[in-house]
Amino acid sequence: MSKSLQAIRGMNDILPEQTPLWRYFEGSVARLLDNYGYKQIRMPIVEFTELFKRSIGEVTDIVEKEMYTFEDRNGDSLTLRPEGTAACVRAVLEHGITGGGQVQKLWYIGPMFRHERPQKGRYRQFHQIGLEVFNLDGPDIDAELIIMTWRLWGELGIRDAVKLELNSLGTSESRGRYREALVEYLSAHHDKLDEDSQRRLKTNPLRVLDTKNADTQAVLVDAPKMADYLDDESRAHFEGLKARLDAVGIPYVLNPKLVRGLDYYSKTVFEWVTDKLGAQGTVCAGGRYDGLVEQMGGKPTPGVGFAMGIERLVLMLETLEQIPQEISRQVDVYLCAFGEEAELAGLALAERVRDELPNLRLQVNAGAGSFKSQFKKADKSGALYALILGDDEMAQQVVGFKPLRGQGEQQSIAWDALAAHLATCVVQG
Ligand code: HAM
């Protein structure tokens, strides 16, 4: 196929055989968020480039190297959103819905775009479910976010395969003091740092902490520790969070090197990681960003949130074989009709049944066909039952009701009694 007719590298079609699992996952998360009192918000996919520069930070990988930025016909610089927090903050400010201390508990779902090197679990268009909470500054809400995800992992059957890593970055003042101490220490060991870390030392020194380079890691062993620079308020906040996780029984690992790749965080940061996916093991990540709203022109407004990567979590469900049986069946009943008269009667009968059983997954054969071919299609659809309308059934105003998965013999059911009969045989979603 010529190149122009292929999807862009790192941007994937989600094919019909994959969508049931996506919908199961998305439905599970949506239900959970509804139950905890979160409301959905939908933002545009494109924003002014400036929004991401100001919020994510000029010297982050995302802004420096990964954004899909272009000029539109008016000459404005626009960017396909690389994440959801910036746009969500822009939206709540623009509509004034966090003014006067109003609490907002919001969630969103959709595609994000980053020009990263594609590999398993890392794509250029990927999908996140994210949530953001505004105007709650205590550790109780940080804990709620984590408790909610813990419940989700339990419901999905993947709890044993994920680990929670936690850190506190402190306030911007305490982080500033720590940054100075770290720069002083690392500068004294400049020659032993890898090239990337030497560059980061000048632009974004905290990111040196999460280097993968062994020599730089060796230098970091004796580096100043962020925990020693935490201010009292951040320390108390972090203790409050840990106490709540302990109370619920959620295990965690403290990771003093967890700094996150976006600049807006303060105090709590966390990541849920797994070793089941290879190199791209972070399935959900977030933290607190108490300074961001103000930095973007609003009144001081505490914020906290996270986002999970749908591709990675779907991959996990597949890898751990946690795919519920019922999602593979998408048809309950398949109606076969033979001859034009039967086809017309079948259409009308199907609509009557749908009126009475709106959740029934009833598929009517399209494209006519012989008895054999319609039956083959019925079987292939995965349906539990076939309904048969031929000359005999038409004459008697009945429909043949045939179990396709070995639950008994074929019977004749009167048209008027069909919906009631189906209601007793098919468990409807
Ligand atoms: P993030 O850590 O950049 O945070 O992304 C969150 C999650 O999105 C990652 O843990 C991962 O599961 C998924 N993800 C990121 N990049 C890719 C990719 N290239 N391919 C596949 N999956 C990916 C944020 O985006 C923050 N906005 C989270 C947040 C919300 N913090 C506070 N509120």
Side-chain angles (χ1 to χ4, degrees):
M1 207 189 290
S2 78
K3 193 153 190 270
S4 61
L5 293 180
Q6 291 181 351
I8 295 162
R9 190 163 123 81
M11 303 201 179
N12 300 312
D13 300 306
I14 317 294
L15 293 174
E17 75 226 33
Q18 300 167 298
T19 48
L21 188 55
W22 278 65
R23 289 180 60 178
Y24 158 71
F25 174 75
E26 291 164 357
S28 305
V29 183
R31 195 164 357 93
L32 179 89
L33 295 173
D34 282 348
N35 292 350
Y36 276 82
Y38 288 72
K39 296 196 179 123
Q40 192 182 17
I41 180 167
R42 300 184 186 207
M43 297 88 64
I45 287 173
V46 187
E47 299 271 354
F48 287 116
T49 304
E50 188 56 25
L51 174 72
F52 301 114
K53 287 193 177 169
R54 265 173 63 181
S55 53
I56 298 170
E58 297 263 7
V59 285
T60 54
D61 283 351
I62 295 180
V63 171
E64 277 185 340
K65 312 192 270 217
E66 296 171 1
M67 295 206 301
Y68 280 90
T69 297
F70 59 95
E71 243 183 43
D72 77 354
R73 288 171 190 275
N74 303 330
D76 291 323
S77 178
L78 307 183
T79 293
L80 295 183
R81 62 182 184 193
E83 59 105 53
T85 310
C88 191
V89 168
R90 196 257 322 128
V92 297
L93 276 179
E94 190 167 335
H95 299 284
I97 58 175
T98 50
Q102 286 175 84
V103 171
Q104 292 290 349
K105 296 164 86 177
L106 306 173
W107 70 278
Y108 50 84
I109 179 169
M112 308 289 161
F113 303 85
R114 297 184 194 175
H115 195 275
E116 296 191 82
R117 200 165 41 78
Q119 63 177 88
K120 180 181 168 190
R122 187 167 69 194
Y123 311 100
R124 290 181 172 170
Q125 173 174 330
F126 60 98
H127 298 77
Q128 285 185 344
I129 296 182
L131 69 81
E132 315 292 348
V133 179
F134 297 97
N135 281 318
L136 288 172
D137 61 5
D140 50 354
I141 192 70
D142 302 18
E144 177 172 286
L145 300 194
I146 292 172
I147 291 166
M148 227 159 39
T149 44
W150 174 248
R151 171 166 297 283
L152 179 67
W153 313 144
E155 285 176 9
L156 297 173
I158 58 173
R159 201 181 258 179
D160 293 342
V162 288
K163 190 175 77 175
L164 174 64
E165 299 196 349
L166 273 188
N167 193 18
S168 175
L169 301 178
T171 57
S172 60
E173 293 78 34
S174 68
R175 203 164 55 255
R177 282 195 302 277
Y178 174 64
R179 191 185 293 116
E180 268 173 38
L182 185 68
V183 169
E184 194 182 321
Y185 172 85
L186 292 176
S187 301
H189 297 80
H190 189 269
D191 295 347
K192 294 191 209 122
L193 303 179
D194 63 282
E195 212 176 297
D196 208 30
S197 297
Q198 288 180 348
R199 191 178 55 82
R200 283 181 162 167
L201 180 57
K202 291 203 194 77
T203 55
N204 200 347
L206 292 190
R207 288 309 303 274
V208 176
L209 294 178
D210 67 5
T211 178
K212 304 266 183 302
N213 181 280
D215 296 335
T216 304
Q217 281 176 347
V219 172
L220 285 171
V221 172
D222 293 323
K225 302 283 173 277
M226 198 178 314
D228 297 334
Y229 287 78
L230 272 194
D231 52 287
D232 290 345
E233 188 197 326
S234 300
R235 197 182 300 277
H237 188 102
F238 200 40
E239 290 308 317
L241 169 60
K242 289 190 281 181
R244 285 168 174 83
L245 299 181
D246 292 339
V248 182
I250 299 179
Y252 51 83
V253 180
L254 299 180
N255 178 358
K257 293 183 178 157
L258 181 64
V259 288
R260 308 275 300 124
L262 307 98
D263 275 356
Y264 46 62
Y265 293 108
S266 56
K267 295 187 180 159
T268 311
V269 287
F270 66 91
E271 291 192 353
W272 287 98
V273 295
T274 179
D275 58 8
K276 306 287 179 208
L277 296 181
Q280 303 305 319
T282 307
V283 292
C284 172
R288 188 160 270 288
Y289 47 86
D290 289 346
L292 180 60
V293 175
E294 198 178 358
Q295 186 188 316
M296 288 174 56
K299 297 239 163 60
T301 305
V304 60
F306 67 70
M308 51 182 100
I310 302 184
E311 281 83 356
R312 291 186 191 176
L313 283 155
V314 165
L315 259 173
M316 260 194 94
L317 295 175
E318 285 168 349
T319 308
L320 299 175
E321 296 179 8
Q322 293 297 328
I323 303 176
Q325 274 235 298
E326 61 274 13
I327 69 163
S328 54
R329 189 169 52 78
Q330 290 179 56
V331 180
D332 297 319
V333 181
Y334 192 102
L335 188 146
C336 311
F338 307 98
E340 198 181 330
E341 205 187 325
E343 218 182 88
L344 299 181
L347 274 185
L349 185 60
E351 290 310 308
R352 271 171 58 193
V353 168
R354 289 182 175 120
D355 285 342
E356 288 185 49
L357 304 174
N359 292 327
L360 184 76
R361 292 172 302 181
L362 167 60
Q363 192 168 323
V364 175
N365 182 74
S370 65
F371 187 81
K372 203 172 148 198
S373 83
Q374 289 199 34
F375 235 74
K376 223 167 154 182
K377 286 198 269 177
D379 192 45
K380 209 169 154 215
S381 76
L384 296 175
Y385 303 98
L387 299 178
I388 300 152
L389 268 180
D391 292 345
D392 290 351
E393 286 81 11
M394 289 297 291
Q396 295 171 47
Q397 304 237 318
V398 296
V399 60
F401 176 84
K402 183 172 168 56
L404 293 173
R405 316 279 150 208
Q407 313 98 324
E409 295 298 305
Q410 180 169 331
Q411 337 167 21
S412 293
I413 312 282
W415 291 353
D416 287 343
L418 181 59
H421 183 72
L422 287 171
T424 63
C425 321
V426 182
V427 182
Q428 295 161 66

